Amino acid sequence: MTAQIIDGKALSRRLRVGFRERVERLKERGVAPGLAVILVGDNPASRVYVGNKIKACEECGVRSLHVGLAVDVSEAEVLATIQRLNDDGSIHGILVQLPLPPHIQIARVLEAISVHKDVDGFHLYNVGALVTGTSIFPPCTPYGVQLLLDTTGIDVAGKNVVVVGASNIVGKPMGLMLLQREATVTICHARTRDLAQHTILADILIVAAGKPGLIVPQMVKEGAIVIDVGINRLPDGRIVGDVCFDEVKKKAAWITPVPGGVGPMTVTMLIENTLRSAERAFKAADEDEFQEWEAPIVKSP
Ligand code: GUN
């Protein structure tokens, strides 16, 4: 068997065409969607990620505001910056690039972002709402993975899904979103004993561990769908995922490449969330306030 490639770059391109049309419709109604990206310090990887987000905004016609803060900025100053952006009606999405310097408490910063502008989906409200399937903004990477899975045409209900990696950004929300779709979910992590005994049972294997070469063919069930969330730079400069792509591709039915799989989808879903926020703001302008509990993204069974 040779796996079919799940092409995240192509899907992103198609989605972004639709985004440009949504931006035009919003602009006709007097709303110019805007995303604010806060970067504290100058971590090289974060700079690249932020650059990609700004570029995607430009491509889709979304206005972006890059707020660069010094590495020694106080937590109070970060919170005050977020408050200003919360109050700014021309901004529909606010994102604080992680990680933050150790003197700033991530939890405080994430809770300061208005739930209605939390396009990363990291606010406790949006995290908690994933449990009940009512989150306004699903976190971008798992959201992108969900759309990539949809392109295979395979229903996840009843499937064994194994997620490798239990981070707040990918592994945990991914598990919750697929549980909502009635998959049987196992989440493995760094302390899991005998990883292979879990992964071998996976109809759908999602790997977000940040360890190149972690998943070898012996750990993969024949005909599985394999989604590689890892992005690792090798000493020779090559970018690879967590899965031994060339070998596992011979066993899987579907597989995402790295680069060109999950990566482009993460940024694309950020734009999706920003547009949804602008559309909600337009709708809410007619009403007194936001309907806190409206529009579940992941429907309850
Ligand atoms: N750092 C690594 N991934 C992410 C992400 O998806 N959003 C933010 N804000 N920071 C990150």
Side-chain angles (χ1 to χ4, degrees), residues 53 95-99 120 122 169 266:
K53 290 169 187 180
L95 175 156
V96 179
Q97 187 64 32
L98 303 178
D120 249 338
F122 293 167
I169 294 180
T266 296

Side-chain angles (χ1 to χ4, degrees), residues 6-7 9 32-33 35 51 72 82 98 103 125 127-128 176 181 209 212-213 228 236 242 257:
I6 308 177
D7 187 343
K9 221 167 145 183
L35 172 69
D72 59 354
I82 290 171
L98 303 178
H103 68 280
Y125 169 84
V127 173
L176 288 169
R181 288 192 164 199
D228 192 348
D236 65 7
D242 295 347

Side-chain angles (χ1 to χ4, degrees), residues 120-244:
D120 249 338
F122 293 167
H123 187 285
L124 273 188
Y125 169 84
N126 278 313
V127 173
L130 281 177
V131 174
T132 51
T134 54
S135 97
I136 304 168
F137 302 112
C140 300
T141 300
Y143 195 6
V145 170
Q146 189 173 283
L147 293 203
L148 288 170
L149 286 173
D150 288 346
T151 65
T152 67
I154 292 162
D155 185 5
V156 302
K159 298 285 189 302
N160 286 340
V161 175
V162 176
V163 181
V164 181
S167 71
N168 290 339
I169 294 180
V170 183
K172 289 182 206 165
M174 187 81 256
L176 288 169
M177 288 165 80
L178 293 174
L179 182 60
Q180 191 65 35
R181 288 192 164 199
E182 300 178 299
T184 302
V185 176
T186 304
I187 301 184
C188 302
H189 46 78
R191 302 293 297 270
T192 297
R193 273 180 279 133
D194 192 359
L195 180 61
Q197 76 170 346
H198 298 280
T199 59
I200 196 71
L201 297 176
D203 302 309
I204 300 171
L205 178 60
I206 300 171
V207 192
K211 286 198 179 138
L214 179 66
I215 303 296
V216 295
Q218 298 86 311
M219 300 166 78
V220 178
K221 183 172 160 180
E222 192 85 34
I225 301 177
V226 179
I227 306 284
D228 192 348
V229 185
I231 301 177
N232 310 291
R233 187 181 288 277
L234 298 181
D236 65 7
R238 274 186 307 136
I239 301 286
V240 297
D242 295 347
V243 175
C244 294

Side-chain angles (χ1 to χ4, degrees), residues 17 63 70 83 91 98-99 107 143 162 165 168 196 225 245 262 271 301:
V17 170
R63 208 169 52 83
Q83 194 52 54
I91 293 295
L98 303 178
Y143 195 6
V162 176
N168 290 339
I225 301 177
F245 180 82
V262 175
I271 307 294

Side-chain angles (χ1 to χ4, degrees), residues 66-128:
H66 180 189
V67 183
L69 299 174
V71 69
D72 59 354
V73 68
S74 68
E75 185 181 282
E77 182 58 36
V78 177
L79 297 179
T81 303
I82 290 171
Q83 194 52 54
R84 276 196 297 278
L85 295 166
N86 283 342
D87 295 338
D88 182 342
S90 73
I91 293 295
H92 303 96
I94 302 170
L95 175 156
V96 179
Q97 187 64 32
L98 303 178
L100 289 169
H103 68 280
I104 299 176
Q105 287 198 35
I106 291 179
R108 278 203 197 137
V109 167
L110 297 181
E111 291 343 295
I113 297 172
S114 161
V115 166
H116 304 290
K117 299 190 179 188
D118 174 38
V119 289
D120 249 338
F122 293 167
H123 187 285
L124 273 188
Y125 169 84
N126 278 313
V127 173

